[in-house]
């Protein structure tokens, strides 16, 4: 498969076309952004770790029947993926209240939720990814009822699987965000899990100490992000020295720019 032109560049990834229209190459960058691009940095090695961690989680999900876009990891930073039309919705699953949920509704940080809470946000940076309801999704035809029903079943199973997987290695899965896409499988449109699942897209707390092992280390200026991501990879049994990340150098953002909000 030959790598073609850049089709899309997001905050943490680039999607390249290939010579087969059904496949694309997903490239993981070291860039980190938060607060809708107001805080930016490049964190040496983050892309390599997210590539490995996401590959691990998506291949495990595939084994339990959650269809997803991953075909195979190609190298340190790239994966061959099925080319999908991304549904413009961020699907958030929460097990513990934190982050925007607490800010929005005044719920106490760390409150354990009785059952997983699903939230839908419109994928639109200009609008700050606003929270939307299912009625909005159907009214504006961002997805059909059938698609959302299927996705909700997937969300439940993805959450069950990941809660167990992380619990087994001493990590609490607090919440996560996933994206789905429409894949044209020989004329039949299938809904499949796309994008990535990594410490960039999940909140992961150490079960005993509640130490944050995810992107909140960047958002909240806690430092040592790479060590935390390495810790996640190591606990999942996928960290290996070949990744060539120097763990004790260039650990912190090499450039942090904070724009004042208007
Ligand atoms: P919150 O809504 O509390 O900020 O985020 C909930 C969960 O979804 C967190 O795990 C967070 O990392 C993830 N999440 C929400 N929006 C985004 C986003 O735009 N990018 C990434 N990488 N993760 C997000």
């Amino acid at each position: 498969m030959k790598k073609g032109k850049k089709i899309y560049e997001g905050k943490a990834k680039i999607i390249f076309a290939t010579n087969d229209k059904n496949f694309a190459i997903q490239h993981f960058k070291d860039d980190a952004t938060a607060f809708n691009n107001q805080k930016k940095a490049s964190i040496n090695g983050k892309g390599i770790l997210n590539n490995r961690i996401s590959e691990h989680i998506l291949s495990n999900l595939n084994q339990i029947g959650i269809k997803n876009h991953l075909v195979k990891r190609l190298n340190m930073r790239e994966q061959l993926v099925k080319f999908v039309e991304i549904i413009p919705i961020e699907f958030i699953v929460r097990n513990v209240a934190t982050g925007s949920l607490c800010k929005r509704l005044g719920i106490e940080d760390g409150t354990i939720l009785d059952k997983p809470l699903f939230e839908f946000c419109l994928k639109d940076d200009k609008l700050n990814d606003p929270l939307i309801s299912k009625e909005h999704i159907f009214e504006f035809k961002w997805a059909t009822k059938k698609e959302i029903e299927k996705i909700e079943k997937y969300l439940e199973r993805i959450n069950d699987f990941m809660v167990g997987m992380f619990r087994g290695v001493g990590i609490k899965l607090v919440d996560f965000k996933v994206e789905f896409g429409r894949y044209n499988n020989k004329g039949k449109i299938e809904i499949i899990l796309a994008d990535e699942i990594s410490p960039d897209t999940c909140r992961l707390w150490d079960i005993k100490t509640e130490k944050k092992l995810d992107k909140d280390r960047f958002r909240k200026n806690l430092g040592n992000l790479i060590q935390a991501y390495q810790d996640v990879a190591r606990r999942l049994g996928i960290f290996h020295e070949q990744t060539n990340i120097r763990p004790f150098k260039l650990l912190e953002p090499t450039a942090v720019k904070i724009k004042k909000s208007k």
Side-chain angles (χ1 to χ4, degrees), residues 139-228:
E139 174 64 34
F140 301 113
K141 303 192 171 41
W142 291 316
T144 65
K145 277 196 177 138
K146 219 171 140 195
E147 287 174 333
I148 294 297
E149 267 168 29
K150 172 135 205 186
I151 289 171
E152 286 187 316
K153 281 192 190 131
Y154 270 173
L155 292 178
E156 228 168 87
R157 294 186 55 213
I158 294 168
N159 188 49
D160 278 352
F161 173 80
M162 291 217 296
V163 164
M165 178 188 74
F166 281 118
R167 189 183 290 143
V169 296
I171 293 173
K172 194 192 291 183
L173 177 65
V174 171
D175 58 29
F176 63 93
K177 181 265 301 182
V178 279
E179 296 181 21
F180 289 84
R182 300 183 184 99
Y183 177 62
N184 187 338
N185 188 0
K186 296 172 193 136
K188 191 174 167 261
I189 305 298
E190 281 177 356
I191 294 291
I192 63 174
L193 175 67
D195 193 51
E196 68 174 297
I197 302 184
S198 72
D200 264 14
T201 61
C202 300
R203 283 200 177 93
L204 305 169
W205 295 353
D206 179 85
I207 283 181
K208 282 198 196 129
T209 62
E210 301 222 322
K211 179 182 170 188
K212 296 181 198 317
L213 302 171
D214 57 63
K215 199 174 149 189
D216 271 356
R217 300 208 72 81
F218 171 69
R219 295 186 187 104
K220 295 173 180 274
N221 293 323
L222 299 173
N224 295 347
L225 178 136
I226 287 295
Q227 285 106 326

